[in-house]
Amino acid sequence: MNDFQKKPKFTPELRILVASLLSMGVILIWVRFFAPKPPVLPPQTTPPAQSAPATAGGPAASQPSSSAAQKPPTGGGSSSPSVVAAATTVPRKAGEQEISIFAENDLYRVEFSNRGGVVKSWQLKKYKDDNKPQRVLDVVHPQSSEQLGAWPFALVLDDPESERTVNSALYAIDPAGQAGCSGTVTEGPAVTVDGAKTSWHFPAPSAFCLSWSDGHLEVTKRFSFDHSYVVRVDTSVKLNGRPITAGLAWLGGFGDLTVTNPAPFETVEAYYTESGKINSVPHKKLDGLDKWAPGLWQGGKDFTGIQDRYFTVAFLPANGTAPGTLETRYWKTAFNYKDKTSGQDTSEPVAQIATATKEQPTELRVYVGPKDYDDLKKMNPPLNGLVNFGWLEFIADPLFHGLKWIHKYVPNWGWAIVVLTLVVNMLLFPLRISSYKTTLKMQRVAPEIKAIQDRFKKYKFNDPKKQEMNKEVMAVYQREGINPVGGCFQMFLQMPIWFGLNTTLRYAIELRHAGWFGWITDLSSRDPFYILPVMMGASMYLVSKMTPITTTDPQQQMMMKIMPITMAGIFIVSPISSGLAVYILTSSLVGILQQWYLNRTHPLPPAAPAKPVRAKK
């Protein structure tokens, strides 16, 4: 290389410095001669309130509270007239007294209160609870709501102080068509005055609005009812005239409080759909509200809600299917009470959920009703995916639809189960015949199998000689063309049907409180007098006595005799539905007739003499 090579005139550092100075010079010249002049603003003593930037996965972050907006500016000078006028442009509005508002159709009766604009009661007229005597089912939990100060249709805001204000304010009531409340009513509200208590009654179809304002924070809720389970709720919340995010919530608990097994809170879960898939969040996986940062909402949801085994609240887009337009947050709160039975202090988790829309105001349709498959399928978007039979759905779902089809022609659900049992047993009868023939063959060679087992009984279970015994036994089965599991295949095929049908009976709203006759008033719960399990065990024992025994081992024979008693005990101890007991009892009675026929048409052949059999090497 040339030792006298010239060094570069500018080092990299010097080039960066020169470029920076030139850039600053260009900016200053552009601002001085070419940039547009800023508008002249009137002087202000306090800067306007600003919202924090939106957090990831949610809309705008928390807003200033109404009380903060009402505070006078601090400092030495007084407020200018223009600032005071800007802060009082929203007129104040509130109710004068607390009023109960009832909306009613043939399916439900809802009680609102203008204190907070929340729901106090939501009765589903076509369904009863598990009280004795039974009462109309109310899916609102008044005790936990009262303790937590959280009711259905409360609002969830990004600022806790504003949230407490709007959920405790006294709202003014405006029927549809009056005072800016859109819509019409076919029949005006009936006003009832009972002493100091006033009630308004709106028969469906109807609509009314609840509105409140303190001069800075302004809230309007519009409720619209028709003859379905769907309620239209439009919510507008503004702070100093600017819309802020407001989520419509179901708080304080949901579902049938009177069920005992399992406990009500065990079956309640929040859910949401994303890209068409329903995601359920049971109470064990719910976090506390403190895990949700102010302004944090999960977006991109198709619909959201809360559910138990039989009923659901679903928050839906206002105008049919609108994928990914809803935002949600879900959490749990502890409800503390004293257990009436044990007298001990008890705490239960209460699942809660709120739903908002990307654009304000929040406009939603809310379905509050049963998880009836046909009704949910007609919804837009369809909600029939909420009827979930778990991992056995591939068995339970066909049984459920088959049972519903039979019920069209057999209006009693108990007799529909009987018909379903007859159909299933007729379809499985060829397998019973094949199983019976295999049983006869196995009984014929039973003495020979016993002789082989006797020759090897002196060896321990893990002795290699036992492998030779198994080979000789399999050689006998191969010679006679016997499938060792062929005799049990028909029974093994029935087991998944039992589990699938039990799942159907426990999770289908159609079977809830569905009676058969006599003492069987609820096919989805167990027999209160245990008569069906005893009859079922006796019929299963009779079938086992009529079926040829394939083993000569006394212990295995005793096990076959004890199994029906064990099954009856399981039905007595466990909360297995009485509808499944009806199925197994009917199946056993059909089995008795089928076994009697097989015993007459296929008599037991004489036992084959024992032959020395050696396994092929």
Side-chain angles (χ1 to χ4, degrees):
M1 289 181 74
N2 186 4
D3 294 337
F4 299 95
Q5 183 179 4
K6 292 183 179 181
K7 295 182 179 180
K9 187 175 181 180
F10 293 102
T11 64
E13 293 80 3
L14 187 59
R15 290 175 179 174
I16 293 174
L17 177 60
V18 172
S20 300
L21 293 174
L22 291 175
S23 299
M24 291 179 61
V26 170
I27 292 173
L28 291 173
I29 294 172
W30 184 85
V31 171
R32 177 68 180 84
F33 297 102
F34 302 102
K37 306 299 181 184
V40 179
L41 297 176
Q44 293 183 351
T45 58
T46 57
Q50 296 180 352
S51 62
T55 56
S62 61
Q63 312 290 344
S65 65
S66 62
S67 59
Q70 296 178 59
K71 291 179 181 178
T74 58
S78 60
S79 301
S80 65
S82 61
V83 176
V84 175
T88 56
T89 53
V90 180
R92 294 175 178 269
K93 186 174 184 179
E96 298 179 355
Q97 62 173 336
E98 186 168 356
I99 297 175
S100 295
I101 309 162
F102 295 91
E104 188 169 4
N105 63 13
D106 294 336
L107 302 175
Y108 57 74
R109 184 174 190 264
V110 185
E111 178 186 355
F112 293 84
S113 173
N114 69 327
R115 173 71 69 183
V118 296
V119 171
K120 295 288 186 175
S121 171
W122 201 301
Q123 295 180 339
L124 301 177
K125 294 182 177 181
K126 294 184 178 296
Y127 298 93
K128 305 290 184 180
D129 60 17
D130 283 351
N131 272 314
K132 296 182 179 179
Q134 291 182 322
R135 298 176 299 188
V136 176
L137 176 64
D138 193 338
V139 295
V140 175
H141 296 183
Q143 292 182 343
S144 58
S145 295
E146 191 71 44
Q147 182 187 111
L148 301 173
W151 296 86
F153 283 13
L155 298 181
V156 172
L157 307 181
D158 294 335
D159 178 59
E161 187 174 350
S162 298
E163 181 179 314
R164 286 190 293 270
T165 300
V166 300
N167 289 328
S168 60
L170 199 60
Y171 286 72
I173 310 171
D174 298 310
Q178 300 181 19
C181 185
S182 61
T184 58
V185 292
T186 56
E187 184 178 345
V191 180
T192 303
V193 179
D194 184 8
K197 185 176 181 181
T198 304
S199 301
W200 289 35
H201 298 262
F202 288 88
S206 60
F208 67 89
C209 295
L210 299 177
S211 53
W212 171 87
S213 173
D214 63 356
H216 300 276
L217 195 60
E218 181 184 7
V219 182
T220 301
K221 294 181 176 181
R222 182 183 182 277
F223 305 96
S224 178
F225 308 88
D226 56 21
H227 295 291
S228 70
Y229 282 111
V230 179
V231 177
R232 172 72 181 252
V233 185
D234 299 335
T235 306
S236 172
V237 181
K238 297 180 180 179
L239 181 62
N240 292 329
R242 183 169 54 86
I244 61 175
T245 300
L248 187 67
W250 190 281
L251 309 180
F254 171 76
D256 187 355
L257 268 177
T258 61
V259 296
T260 55
N261 198 348
F265 72 90
E266 291 284 352
T267 62
V268 177
E269 56 188 20
Y271 64 86
Y272 61 87
T273 57
E274 211 166 30
S275 302
K277 180 183 178 182
I278 298 177
N279 300 278
S280 298
V281 188
H283 71 89
K284 294 180 180 179
K285 295 185 178 181
L286 288 172
D287 294 321
L289 186 58
D290 56 327
K291 298 293 184 180
W292 291 84
L296 179 60
W297 295 80
Q298 284 189 359
K301 311 307 180 192
D302 304 336
F303 61 85
T304 68
I306 193 168
Q307 65 178 345
D308 66 0
R309 267 200 305 176
Y310 296 118
F311 303 95
T312 185
V313 174
F315 296 98
L316 311 171
N319 301 307
T321 303
T325 58
L326 301 187
E327 301 173 332
T328 186
R329 62 172 68 170
Y330 41 85
W331 67 97
K332 64 181 175 183
T333 308
F335 167 50
N336 303 309
Y337 67 98
K338 187 176 291 293
D339 188 82
K340 295 181 180 180
T341 305
S342 62
Q344 297 180 347
D345 292 333
T346 307
S347 179
E348 289 184 357
V350 178
Q352 310 195 101
I353 190 169
T355 303
T357 55
K358 289 182 178 180
E359 304 295 333
Q360 297 301 314
T362 297
E363 298 178 348
L364 297 169
R365 291 174 298 135
V366 186
Y367 175 94
V368 184
K371 290 161 62 174
D372 184 284
Y373 185 91
D374 293 334
D375 290 344
L376 295 181
K377 191 174 183 179
K378 297 174 184 176
M379 296 293 297
N380 186 17
L383 304 179
N384 53 294
L386 297 175
V387 183
N388 185 5
F389 297 123
W391 64 275
L392 280 173
E393 186 167 11
F394 70 100
I395 297 175
D397 194 65
L399 290 174
F400 169 65
H401 289 288
L403 198 58
K404 282 178 66 70
W405 183 83
I406 294 173
H407 188 257
K408 293 180 182 178
Y409 307 97
V410 183
N412 182 286
W413 284 105
W415 291 115
I417 293 175
V418 172
V419 174
L420 177 67
T421 310
L422 295 175
V423 172
V424 172
N425 276 267
M426 289 301 104
L427 293 175
L428 296 180
F429 186 56
L431 292 178
R432 180 182 283 272
I433 295 175
S434 176
S435 176
Y436 179 73
K437 290 180 178 179
T438 300
T439 302
L440 293 181
K441 291 180 181 179
M442 294 183 70
Q443 191 173 34
R444 183 172 180 271
V445 299
E448 188 175 352
I449 300 298
K450 182 67 166 57
I452 296 173
Q453 293 172 342
D454 289 343
R455 283 194 293 108
F456 289 90
K457 67 180 180 181
K458 60 183 178 180
Y459 300 106
K460 294 182 179 180
F461 178 77
N462 57 352
D463 194 293
K465 290 287 187 180
K466 286 288 187 179
Q467 296 296 328
E468 295 183 16
M469 182 194 73
N470 294 334
K471 290 180 180 179
E472 291 190 23
V473 170
M474 292 306 298
V476 173
Y477 288 155
Q478 188 176 7
R479 184 196 71 205
E480 299 294 332
I482 297 173
N483 182 359
V485 298
C488 305
F489 182 72
Q490 190 262 348
M491 184 179 68
F492 287 153
L493 194 60
Q494 284 277 18
M495 295 296 288
I497 296 177
W498 292 355
F499 290 121
L501 182 61
N502 186 61
T503 303
T504 299
L505 295 171
R506 288 183 60 81
Y507 286 91
I509 184 67
E510 291 84 354
L511 276 300
R512 179 181 181 269
H513 293 168
W516 186 22
F517 69 87
W519 74 100
I520 303 298
T521 58
D522 187 359
L523 289 165
S524 66
S525 62
R526 65 182 178 185
D527 183 348
F529 302 110
Y530 311 115
I531 297 175
L532 284 178
V534 172
M535 295 176 62
M536 180 193 74
S539 61
M540 292 179 69
Y541 179 79
L542 185 56
V543 172
S544 67
K545 291 290 290 182
M546 297 176 64
T547 304
I549 298 177
T550 61
T551 178
T552 57
D553 187 353
Q555 291 184 350
Q556 294 185 18
Q557 292 180 2
M558 181 59 65
M559 187 181 299
M560 296 296 292
K561 294 179 181 178
I562 292 176
M563 187 164 60
I565 301 174
T566 304
M567 284 290 296
I570 292 174
F571 272 73
I572 292 174
V573 175
S574 304
I576 300 177
S577 61
S578 56
L580 180 59
V582 172
Y583 178 91
I584 298 178
L585 173 61
T586 307
S587 183
S588 298
L589 295 176
V590 173
I592 291 173
L593 295 176
Q594 291 178 343
Q595 197 61 51
W596 173 82
Y597 169 78
L598 292 173
N599 290 345
R600 283 181 59 88
T601 56
H602 299 78
L604 183 66
K611 299 178 182 179
V613 178
R614 296 292 179 182
K616 294 181 180 179
K617 300 263 183 152

